[in-house]
Amino acid sequence: MTVYGDGKRWTGALGTGWDDMMDPARQLSNDDGKLSELRWEGGGGDVGIEEGIRLGRIKNVVGAAAGWGHTALVVQPENSDATKLLVCGRPHDFQTLLRLRRLPSFLRNFALQSSLREHRDKEQSLLDKVVSVLTSVNKEVVKTDDGHEIERPISVLPTFTEIFLPEGDKPASSLSLRNNDVMPRTFLAASAGLTAIVGQSGTLYTIGINNRGQCGTGKFTNNVWTPTPIMNPSQEGPIIDVSLGLQHGLALDDGGNLFTWGKGERGQLGQGAGSAMENTTSESALKVDDFRLLSDKSGRRNVLTGEDAQVISMSAGMNHSAAVTKSNHAFVWGKNVSPPGPDDGKGKPAVDSSSPRLVEGLPSDLQIVAVTCASHHTAFLLEDGSVWGIGVATDNGQPIMEKAVEMIPAGLIEMPPRQFVGHFDRTTVVGKGGRQVLEVQLWSHEELREGAALTPPWMDQIETDETVRFVSQGWMHKVVATDD
């Protein structure tokens, strides 16, 4: 398996080293839309520290996640369970990325050169040191193989660096399928300065920014620097699926129990109207179980219970969440996911929902295979291969909330797909054989939705003897893994 990347090199998210991050000429020459093979040194405790390291091919990648300014990979040698978690870029950074992104390129390059100069054994001026503070370059002391202690940056990792899980746990490489699952489970996720990884023990670990409790460790801190288990008192079994929003997360255990944590001011934790935790932020995982169907003639809304309420698929958008229950019902909750009611005032095209809201308009005679959230829309894959969606339209920003609309007709996707994933403004589908990759956005009008599923241009760069395993799209970069 080979992994490729493309995007803005100054973030460090492609692991190409200090030179690409600091040198404007290199940034311009590499920011050309072409996929390049990602590499790492592959040994020693000082990965990314010394100049002139020899980068080798990253082989046997079994998981990849592109965050806003970092990339996380899980690699597994053949015939071995000795998996490794590799991370590069800015895994603990969000606000600094936003500040740097807004700067004119010449100022951004100066800021990068000043803040990163000390890591290249270059003397820093007083101005350099001030810029370093403003651009948040944090360091830790680690021991090399020969026993020497060195400082290495942990908020900026210019090349892929191995991150170790506590107590000897190893990253999961595959998760057991439950029942009649068609889609593979997600054991690695990345977002805005946030990474989540499921261990082989079934424990979910997080690292990253934690000022909104988005690491779910049971307390609020500025950062969680090393992988730490989430605090989940209600968890009944091993975690089998994880998804991250901008500042909140979702996890699913093998009993179909769904949990959320992090920022919840817009209802994205799904704790329900009237709940003590409604629209609040939580530093620990909370169970989501208030799945209600539409009101019957008596005016009551039926609450799903027992196996019907077990979640089979879930996903986190930027500020919203979604789930599919075993009863074959789909729900969304969070920011701007509900049509306005009579008491919501005029002029509001959509309102928040702190309770899971039933999605209407999906064909009732077809099984929902999977759900995925992009930044502002939610897509549902049905058993016939059709894809339906609700959310905010890409073309005009208008909400499509009343009923789901068809985004991809049946018969186009090679079923079952290898991947069905949302990222930013689009949903990506990798077909069964790995040679079909489709991207689709949510459009406001039916005419625009006809033929809207397109093959991304980068597929022309994939060799004919390669098949795509999975795609992950970050804020300013993408990662593509293929089977040779």
Side-chain angles (χ1 to χ4, degrees):
M1 184 177 289
T2 304
V3 60
Y4 300 95
D6 168 55
K8 303 295 184 181
R9 307 294 177 105
W10 62 264
T11 65
L14 298 181
T16 51
W18 296 119
D19 287 338
D20 274 1
M21 295 179 67
M22 297 173 61
D23 188 336
R26 284 174 176 261
Q27 292 174 26
L28 291 172
S29 65
N30 287 320
D31 187 20
D32 54 10
K34 292 183 179 180
L35 296 177
S36 59
E37 191 173 340
L38 302 188
R39 297 172 177 269
W40 81 301
E41 186 196 21
D46 57 344
V47 176
I49 299 297
E50 302 296 332
E51 296 187 29
I53 58 175
R54 184 171 183 176
L55 300 178
R57 294 185 63 192
I58 301 178
K59 299 180 179 180
N60 304 311
V61 177
V62 294
W68 279 54
H70 73 289
T71 298
L73 304 176
V74 173
V75 297
Q76 180 179 22
E78 294 181 7
N79 303 317
S80 172
D81 61 356
T83 51
K84 299 178 184 292
L85 172 63
L86 307 181
V87 178
C88 70
R90 295 175 176 265
H92 301 273
D93 184 14
F94 175 34
Q95 294 297 333
T96 302
L97 270 176
L98 294 179
R99 289 195 295 267
L100 288 170
R101 181 67 177 84
R102 296 188 185 108
L103 291 176
S105 59
F106 73 94
L107 286 179
R108 181 171 61 245
N109 291 330
F110 171 77
L112 289 167
Q113 291 169 5
S114 297
S115 62
L116 301 179
R117 188 171 286 128
E118 65 172 314
H119 304 299
R120 298 298 304 274
D121 297 325
K122 306 294 185 182
E123 184 178 351
Q124 279 191 306
S125 66
L126 178 60
L127 179 59
D128 289 339
K129 293 178 181 179
V130 172
V131 173
S132 293
V133 174
L134 295 176
T135 52
S136 304
V137 180
N138 300 88
K139 295 171 287 185
E140 68 174 347
V141 176
V142 295
K143 286 188 176 182
T144 62
D145 289 344
D146 57 7
H148 289 89
E149 290 188 348
I150 60 172
E151 282 189 337
R152 72 174 182 183
I154 50 178
S155 56
V156 181
L157 304 175
T159 59
F160 281 98
T161 301
E162 184 173 2
I163 305 296
F164 297 94
L165 303 186
E167 298 183 2
D169 202 0
K170 298 292 185 182
S173 59
S174 61
L175 299 174
S176 299
L177 299 181
R178 295 185 305 116
N179 304 323
N180 296 315
D181 289 344
V182 175
M183 302 300 301
R185 296 295 183 179
T186 299
F187 53 87
L188 176 65
S191 181
L194 182 63
T195 306
I197 177 70
V198 178
Q200 293 179 5
S201 65
T203 302
L204 177 61
Y205 305 93
T206 56
I207 59 171
I209 304 171
N210 193 42
N211 61 327
R212 295 299 187 118
Q214 54 263 58
C215 282
T217 57
K219 55 185 178 181
F220 295 103
T221 56
N222 288 332
N223 273 280
V224 174
W225 295 111
T226 58
T228 303
I230 65 167
M231 180 65 68
N232 192 349
S234 301
Q235 182 179 337
E236 298 178 4
I239 296 298
I240 63 169
D241 211 351
V242 62
S243 183
L244 296 177
L246 181 67
Q247 293 176 305
H248 77 291
L250 275 69
L252 184 67
D253 72 14
D254 68 348
N257 300 299
L258 178 62
F259 307 97
T260 60
W261 65 90
K263 184 179 178 181
E265 282 87 347
R266 303 304 295 266
Q268 55 265 59
L269 302 190
Q271 292 307 295
S275 164
M277 294 301 296
E278 180 188 6
N279 294 340
T280 60
T281 289
S282 177
E283 70 276 27
S284 302
L286 305 170
K287 188 174 181 180
V288 181
D289 54 10
D290 188 25
F291 298 112
R292 298 172 181 258
L293 304 183
L294 296 177
S295 302
D296 57 21
K297 294 182 179 179
S298 67
R300 294 177 300 181
R301 296 185 66 201
N302 298 319
V303 181
L304 294 178
T305 59
E307 287 192 3
D308 285 344
Q310 292 180 5
V311 172
I312 62 171
S313 182
M314 60 79 183
S315 185
M318 184 172 288
N319 288 297
H320 75 285
S321 307
V324 176
T325 58
K326 197 172 182 179
S327 63
N328 200 40
H329 293 99
F331 297 86
V332 294
W333 59 94
K335 180 180 178 180
N336 290 337
V337 299
S338 183
D343 299 327
D344 290 321
K346 296 181 180 181
K348 287 188 175 182
V351 295
D352 300 350
S353 177
S354 60
S355 299
R357 182 182 75 84
L358 182 69
V359 176
E360 299 183 74
L362 297 173
S364 59
D365 59 336
L366 295 175
Q367 188 72 27
I368 306 170
V369 174
V371 60
T372 188
C373 293
S375 59
H376 294 88
H377 76 259
T378 302
F380 304 92
L381 174 66
L382 275 55
E383 63 179 337
D384 66 346
S386 63
V387 175
W388 297 68
I390 61 169
V392 178
T394 299
D395 55 315
N396 59 13
Q398 292 300 307
I400 301 173
M401 302 295 176
E402 295 284 354
K403 292 185 177 182
V405 297
E406 189 176 62
M407 299 171 68
I408 300 179
L412 185 60
I413 296 175
E414 298 174 0
M415 293 289 285
R418 291 184 171 192
Q419 187 186 35
F420 178 68
V421 60
H423 34 236
F424 288 85
D425 64 344
R426 65 199 62 196
T427 293
T428 297
V429 184
V430 180
K432 179 181 179 180
R435 289 301 303 176
Q436 180 194 56
V437 178
L438 299 174
E439 292 182 343
V440 64
Q441 296 172 297
L442 181 63
W443 302 103
S444 59
H445 300 290
E446 185 175 355
E447 294 80 6
L448 293 174
R449 293 193 290 269
E450 293 179 0
L454 304 174
T455 300
W458 54 259
M459 271 298 290
D460 292 338
Q461 302 174 50
I462 302 298
E463 299 292 338
T464 56
D465 60 347
E466 290 182 288
T467 58
V468 176
R469 174 57 58 182
F470 43 74
V471 180
S472 186
Q473 178 75 51
W475 182 31
M476 293 182 285
H477 74 290
K478 74 172 70 70
V479 175
V480 179
T482 66
D483 292 322
D484 299 325

PDB file of all heavy atoms in Angstrom, residues 229-243:
ATOM      1  N   PRO A 229      -6.871   8.199  27.485  1.00  0.00           N
ATOM      2  CA  PRO A 229      -8.205   7.621  27.306  1.00  0.00           C
ATOM      3  C   PRO A 229      -9.306   8.649  27.571  1.00  0.00           C
ATOM      4  O   PRO A 229      -9.167   9.508  28.449  1.00  0.00           O
ATOM      5  CB  PRO A 229      -8.248   6.493  28.343  1.00  0.00           C
ATOM      6  CG  PRO A 229      -6.820   6.209  28.684  1.00  0.00           C
ATOM      7  CD  PRO A 229      -6.103   7.520  28.541  1.00  0.00           C
ATOM      8  N   ILE A 230     -10.387   8.573  26.821  1.00  0.00           N
ATOM      9  CA  ILE A 230     -11.518   9.436  27.104  1.00  0.00           C
ATOM     10  C   ILE A 230     -12.209   8.941  28.378  1.00  0.00           C
ATOM     11  O   ILE A 230     -12.146   7.754  28.723  1.00  0.00           O
ATOM     12  CB  ILE A 230     -12.528   9.483  25.935  1.00  0.00           C
ATOM     13  CG1 ILE A 230     -13.180   8.121  25.699  1.00  0.00           C
ATOM     14  CG2 ILE A 230     -11.874   9.989  24.669  1.00  0.00           C
ATOM     15  CD1 ILE A 230     -14.387   8.193  24.785  1.00  0.00           C
ATOM     16  N   MET A 231     -12.840   9.843  29.079  1.00  0.00           N
ATOM     17  CA  MET A 231     -13.591   9.523  30.278  1.00  0.00           C
ATOM     18  C   MET A 231     -15.012   9.162  29.869  1.00  0.00           C
ATOM     19  O   MET A 231     -15.768  10.020  29.410  1.00  0.00           O
ATOM     20  CB  MET A 231     -13.596  10.713  31.240  1.00  0.00           C
ATOM     21  CG  MET A 231     -14.358  10.463  32.533  1.00  0.00           C
ATOM     22  SD  MET A 231     -13.609   9.178  33.558  1.00  0.00           S
ATOM     23  CE  MET A 231     -12.087  10.010  34.050  1.00  0.00           C
ATOM     24  N   ASN A 232     -15.360   7.882  30.002  1.00  0.00           N
ATOM     25  CA  ASN A 232     -16.642   7.408  29.501  1.00  0.00           C
ATOM     26  C   ASN A 232     -17.264   6.440  30.509  1.00  0.00           C
ATOM     27  O   ASN A 232     -17.164   5.213  30.367  1.00  0.00           O
ATOM     28  CB  ASN A 232     -16.449   6.719  28.149  1.00  0.00           C
ATOM     29  CG  ASN A 232     -17.773   6.473  27.433  1.00  0.00           C
ATOM     30  OD1 ASN A 232     -18.844   6.625  28.012  1.00  0.00           O
ATOM     31  ND2 ASN A 232     -17.689   6.079  26.177  1.00  0.00           N
ATOM     32  N   PRO A 233     -17.947   6.963  31.526  1.00  0.00           N
ATOM     33  CA  PRO A 233     -18.518   6.086  32.561  1.00  0.00           C
ATOM     34  C   PRO A 233     -19.582   5.128  32.060  1.00  0.00           C
ATOM     35  O   PRO A 233     -19.816   4.081  32.670  1.00  0.00           O
ATOM     36  CB  PRO A 233     -19.117   7.091  33.563  1.00  0.00           C
ATOM     37  CG  PRO A 233     -18.457   8.392  33.268  1.00  0.00           C
ATOM     38  CD  PRO A 233     -18.169   8.383  31.807  1.00  0.00           C
ATOM     39  N   SER A 234     -20.246   5.463  30.946  1.00  0.00           N
ATOM     40  CA  SER A 234     -21.355   4.634  30.459  1.00  0.00           C
ATOM     41  C   SER A 234     -20.938   3.597  29.433  1.00  0.00           C
ATOM     42  O   SER A 234     -21.783   2.828  28.955  1.00  0.00           O
ATOM     43  CB  SER A 234     -22.450   5.536  29.863  1.00  0.00           C
ATOM     44  OG  SER A 234     -22.933   6.458  30.806  1.00  0.00           O
ATOM     45  N   GLN A 235     -19.675   3.568  29.055  1.00  0.00           N
ATOM     46  CA  GLN A 235     -19.217   2.630  28.035  1.00  0.00           C
ATOM     47  C   GLN A 235     -19.367   1.196  28.523  1.00  0.00           C
ATOM     48  O   GLN A 235     -18.947   0.844  29.617  1.00  0.00           O
ATOM     49  CB  GLN A 235     -17.760   2.902  27.673  1.00  0.00           C
ATOM     50  CG  GLN A 235     -17.198   2.006  26.584  1.00  0.00           C
ATOM     51  CD  GLN A 235     -15.756   2.348  26.246  1.00  0.00           C
ATOM     52  OE1 GLN A 235     -15.306   3.465  26.477  1.00  0.00           O
ATOM     53  NE2 GLN A 235     -15.022   1.386  25.705  1.00  0.00           N
ATOM     54  N   GLU A 236     -19.983   0.348  27.695  1.00  0.00           N
ATOM     55  CA  GLU A 236     -20.257  -1.034  28.081  1.00  0.00           C
ATOM     56  C   GLU A 236     -19.359  -2.048  27.390  1.00  0.00           C
ATOM     57  O   GLU A 236     -19.274  -3.192  27.799  1.00  0.00           O
ATOM     58  CB  GLU A 236     -21.724  -1.367  27.789  1.00  0.00           C
ATOM     59  CG  GLU A 236     -22.711  -0.509  28.574  1.00  0.00           C
ATOM     60  CD  GLU A 236     -24.153  -0.828  28.235  1.00  0.00           C
ATOM     61  OE1 GLU A 236     -24.370  -1.769  27.444  1.00  0.00           O
ATOM     62  OE2 GLU A 236     -25.060  -0.136  28.750  1.00  0.00           O
ATOM     63  N   GLY A 237     -18.700  -1.649  26.320  1.00  0.00           N
ATOM     64  CA  GLY A 237     -17.843  -2.569  25.579  1.00  0.00           C
ATOM     65  C   GLY A 237     -16.775  -1.796  24.837  1.00  0.00           C
ATOM     66  O   GLY A 237     -16.660  -0.573  24.960  1.00  0.00           O
ATOM     67  N   PRO A 238     -15.956  -2.493  24.066  1.00  0.00           N
ATOM     68  CA  PRO A 238     -14.893  -1.808  23.324  1.00  0.00           C
ATOM     69  C   PRO A 238     -15.447  -0.826  22.296  1.00  0.00           C
ATOM     70  O   PRO A 238     -16.532  -1.042  21.728  1.00  0.00           O
ATOM     71  CB  PRO A 238     -14.133  -2.961  22.646  1.00  0.00           C
ATOM     72  CG  PRO A 238     -15.111  -4.092  22.612  1.00  0.00           C
ATOM     73  CD  PRO A 238     -15.954  -3.953  23.822  1.00  0.00           C
ATOM     74  N   ILE A 239     -14.713   0.243  22.064  1.00  0.00           N
ATOM     75  CA  ILE A 239     -15.097   1.224  21.046  1.00  0.00           C
ATOM     76  C   ILE A 239     -14.792   0.643  19.665  1.00  0.00           C
ATOM     77  O   ILE A 239     -13.709   0.090  19.438  1.00  0.00           O
ATOM     78  CB  ILE A 239     -14.349   2.544  21.252  1.00  0.00           C
ATOM     79  CG1 ILE A 239     -14.744   3.186  22.587  1.00  0.00           C
ATOM     80  CG2 ILE A 239     -14.616   3.507  20.101  1.00  0.00           C
ATOM     81  CD1 ILE A 239     -16.207   3.542  22.700  1.00  0.00           C
ATOM     82  N   ILE A 240     -15.741   0.776  18.748  1.00  0.00           N
ATOM     83  CA  ILE A 240     -15.561   0.224  17.406  1.00  0.00           C
ATOM     84  C   ILE A 240     -15.623   1.284  16.312  1.00  0.00           C
ATOM     85  O   ILE A 240     -15.387   0.976  15.142  1.00  0.00           O
ATOM     86  CB  ILE A 240     -16.594  -0.867  17.101  1.00  0.00           C
ATOM     87  CG1 ILE A 240     -18.004  -0.285  17.108  1.00  0.00           C
ATOM     88  CG2 ILE A 240     -16.478  -2.030  18.087  1.00  0.00           C
ATOM     89  CD1 ILE A 240     -19.056  -1.233  16.562  1.00  0.00           C
ATOM     90  N   ASP A 241     -15.938   2.524  16.664  1.00  0.00           N
ATOM     91  CA  ASP A 241     -16.073   3.564  15.648  1.00  0.00           C
ATOM     92  C   ASP A 241     -15.867   4.919  16.308  1.00  0.00           C
ATOM     93  O   ASP A 241     -16.305   5.134  17.449  1.00  0.00           O
ATOM     94  CB  ASP A 241     -17.467   3.507  15.018  1.00  0.00           C
ATOM     95  CG  ASP A 241     -17.475   3.948  13.563  1.00  0.00           C
ATOM     96  OD1 ASP A 241     -16.442   4.464  13.096  1.00  0.00           O
ATOM     97  OD2 ASP A 241     -18.514   3.773  12.894  1.00  0.00           O
ATOM     98  N   VAL A 242     -15.224   5.854  15.595  1.00  0.00           N
ATOM     99  CA  VAL A 242     -14.986   7.190  16.136  1.00  0.00           C
ATOM    100  C   VAL A 242     -15.104   8.210  15.014  1.00  0.00           C
ATOM    101  O   VAL A 242     -14.782   7.936  13.849  1.00  0.00           O
ATOM    102  CB  VAL A 242     -13.599   7.285  16.819  1.00  0.00           C
ATOM    103  CG1 VAL A 242     -12.475   7.027  15.816  1.00  0.00           C
ATOM    104  CG2 VAL A 242     -13.414   8.634  17.500  1.00  0.00           C
ATOM    105  N   SER A 243     -15.602   9.407  15.356  1.00  0.00           N
ATOM    106  CA  SER A 243     -15.724  10.491  14.396  1.00  0.00           C
ATOM    107  C   SER A 243     -15.537  11.808  15.140  1.00  0.00           C
ATOM    108  O   SER A 243     -15.966  11.943  16.290  1.00  0.00           O
ATOM    109  CB  SER A 243     -17.101  10.461  13.712  1.00  0.00           C
ATOM    110  OG  SER A 243     -17.207  11.464  12.722  1.00  0.00           O
TER     111      SER A 243
END
